[in-house]
Structure formats: C-alpha cells, structure tokens
Amino acid sequence: MGVRAASGGQVLSLDTLVRLRRGLHSPGTPRRLPVPEGMTAPLGCDAVSVPARLGPLVLPRLPRVGCVYADETHWWWIVPSDSDYALEWPAPAEYAAGAVVPDAPAVPGLIHKPDGTLPYTPPIPLYLALCRVTGTTPTWSRSVTA
C-alpha cells in the first residue's frame, strides 16, 4: 500500500511514512543504555524511565534492583525486552524499547549495578512501585465497563 502525493509525484510506502514520522520525534542522536561489562542480557534490554524526582521514591520499594542509570532529569531501569506487553506504564513513566534514550545529550551514568550477571529489574515489581508512587491503579485492578 502506498500514498501518492497530491501533485502526482512519488508513491510513499507505509514503511517510509512510519520512518518519516519517527524522524520527526527524534531531535537528538539516539543513545542506548549499555549493559555493563561482565553482565549478559539473554532476554534483551528495554528500559523504563521516570523523572529524576521519582527515582529515589521508587528505588526502596523494589525487592531486587537491576542496572539503574540517571542524569539530572531522568532515571532509567533496565528491564527484559517486551516488558511493556499488556502493561500500561503509569505516566509520567516512559517505556524505551531497546533501552534507547533518544533525547539524552549523553549516555546517562550507571548509579546502581546489581550483584551477579543479569542487569534486569523485575518489571512487575517496578510497575507496581511506579503505580504506588504515582497514585495510579494497576491496569488489572481497574473496573471494567461495558
């Protein structure tokens, strides 16, 4: 499927349109949070970010903390890939597929590295901690209306 410009010009495919749209929202160079040396990420890596003011409130609520990165504006937790499946992360948290932080001027600094070789914070406890801190009801506890 393609879209033809009104002037009768070039046909643009859906892939091209999606790529162009994504380009509009990527002002900076995308930066990926690195997995520290000596650690492995067999489940892939995504990240969940929150404004820096919430980071210290979330951290003590977690039973296990993986790699956490921070700069002046955000904190990021490494989670396994696809940890957004069937979850609506509460605002103002943002989910970053591939652990890519596109608007960061530099790669944020590592502020917590767990013992062992896995960089992950378990996503469900992180989700629940974020819900608690933001006053959001978890999606599975919300009323369903017809």
Side-chain angles (χ1 to χ4, degrees), residues 55 60 78 86-87 98 100 110 140:
I78 296 292
L87 279 182
V100 172
L110 180 66
W140 55 76

Side-chain angles (χ1 to χ4, degrees), residues 27-133:
T29 303
R31 302 188 192 293
R32 185 177 310 274
L33 297 173
V35 172
E37 191 171 322
M39 299 192 100
T40 61
L43 303 175
C45 283
D46 288 347
V48 176
S49 75
V50 298
R53 64 183 168 76
L54 296 179
L57 302 175
V58 172
L59 200 59
R61 297 177 184 272
L62 297 171
R64 181 188 185 285
V65 180
C67 290
V68 182
Y69 296 82
D71 63 17
E72 307 81 43
T73 60
H74 290 90
W75 284 32
W76 289 267
W77 279 265
I78 296 292
V79 294
S81 291
D82 300 323
S83 292
D84 61 337
Y85 181 75
L87 279 182
E88 293 176 34
W89 288 86
E94 293 187 22
Y95 192 83
V100 172
V101 289
D103 297 330
V107 175
L110 180 66
I111 63 168
H112 183 270
K113 179 182 173 191
D115 294 333
T117 60
L118 297 176
Y120 306 121
T121 295
I124 298 302
L126 177 59
Y127 172 80
L128 292 171
L130 286 170
C131 285
R132 179 73 164 194
V133 166

Side-chain angles (χ1 to χ4, degrees), residues 14-26:
L14 185 57
D15 289 337
T16 301
L17 292 172
V18 168
R19 190 171 55 252
L20 289 171
R21 171 109 171 117
R22 286 182 181 155
L24 292 175
H25 297 292
S26 306

